[in-house]
Amino acid sequence: GFLSLYNGLAPVLLFSVPKAGIRFGANQYFKNLFADKETGKVSMGMAFLAGLCAGVCEATFAVVPQETIKTKLINLNMGMVDGVSHIVKTEGIGGLYSGLVSTCMKQGGNQGSRFFFMAQYRAFIAGDAEAKLPKHLTFLGGLGAGLFSVLTTSPFDVVKTRMQSVEAKNYKGTFDCFRQILTHEGPLAFFNGALARSARVVPGQGIIFVSVDVVYDLISGFTAKKK
């Protein structure tokens, strides 16, 4: 029925907040770690690396279980409770961590490309990769970052989805999945679903980057009042 279109929604909602918190918190941590000791500035290469490391953290602690559960619930056409119970009974706890390697590759590339794009965007607009921009410009930058990440990481997303589906048994592992897709379906198969993914990711990144700015402003305002 119609509600089957929403199978897999529950894990997305459940993991969304911690996922974003891990992503931006880890990115800030690694930016501080990789910053030049004398100037405190982060080079574009280090901005990408910080985002990549943040993506791996996000994948390990939030995205892998979320995406695995979501994908398998859709494949099984089950609700959250019944679906998770079925996965654990048939595959064990490890079944919730299917596709860890491909997801780390995808999320690392995703966040590396997004934070790299935003650093370049801020530098282009304001002359400083760390500059605080007006909310509407941050939103536009987020849209661009989302599109950039879809174009650069679509192959990883296709492989990740297949490795987390109930058909993962057809592949020996992540790299075998890459090989089989390339051999049997051709390179364009790595961009299957890119348009649909763009429709979700592009506006989502615009909203997320603006939301993070708003939260930072609220926290800064609150801490300033306490002082």
Side-chain angles (χ1 to χ4, degrees), residues 29-199:
Y29 170 81
F30 286 111
K31 278 171 60 179
N32 293 341
L33 186 65
F34 298 149
D36 185 276
K37 303 303 180 185
E38 295 182 1
T39 65
K41 298 290 185 179
V42 180
S43 69
M44 291 303 172
M46 290 297 102
F48 175 80
L49 184 58
L52 188 150
C53 291
V56 172
C57 291
E58 178 188 14
T60 303
F61 296 112
V63 177
V64 174
Q66 175 205 299
E67 290 293 305
T68 301
I69 294 169
K70 180 194 74 173
T71 302
K72 291 184 176 180
L73 292 186
I74 293 171
N75 291 156
L76 295 167
N77 196 26
M78 290 183 175
M80 177 78 170
V81 176
D82 291 339
V84 171
S85 177
H86 175 81
I87 294 168
V88 173
K89 284 180 181 177
T90 57
E91 303 177 46
I93 295 296
L96 302 178
Y97 267 82
S98 299
L100 176 63
V101 174
S102 57
T103 305
C104 285
M105 291 170 65
K106 178 232 176 182
Q107 284 304 115
N110 262 347
Q111 305 315 333
S113 60
R114 288 169 187 169
F115 285 116
F116 172 80
F117 182 95
M118 284 300 291
Q120 292 278 32
Y121 175 77
R122 288 191 176 101
F124 176 76
I125 296 293
D128 183 355
E130 298 293 320
K132 186 170 179 58
L133 300 176
K135 298 296 186 289
H136 68 285
L137 291 180
T138 298
F139 179 73
L140 291 176
L143 296 181
L147 180 59
F148 184 65
S149 69
V150 170
L151 294 175
T152 54
T153 65
S154 186
F156 300 123
D157 189 61
V158 170
V159 171
K160 174 198 72 73
T161 300
R162 296 201 187 186
M163 289 303 297
Q164 290 175 329
S165 74
V166 294
E167 297 179 357
K169 60 182 180 292
N170 296 328
Y171 308 107
K172 296 177 183 178
T174 298
F175 297 104
D176 181 58
C177 184
F178 269 108
R179 184 188 62 79
Q180 287 199 42
I181 293 173
L182 183 62
T183 302
H184 301 302
E185 302 174 51
L188 290 180
F190 287 117
F191 292 89
N192 287 343
L195 184 61
R197 186 176 166 224
S198 295

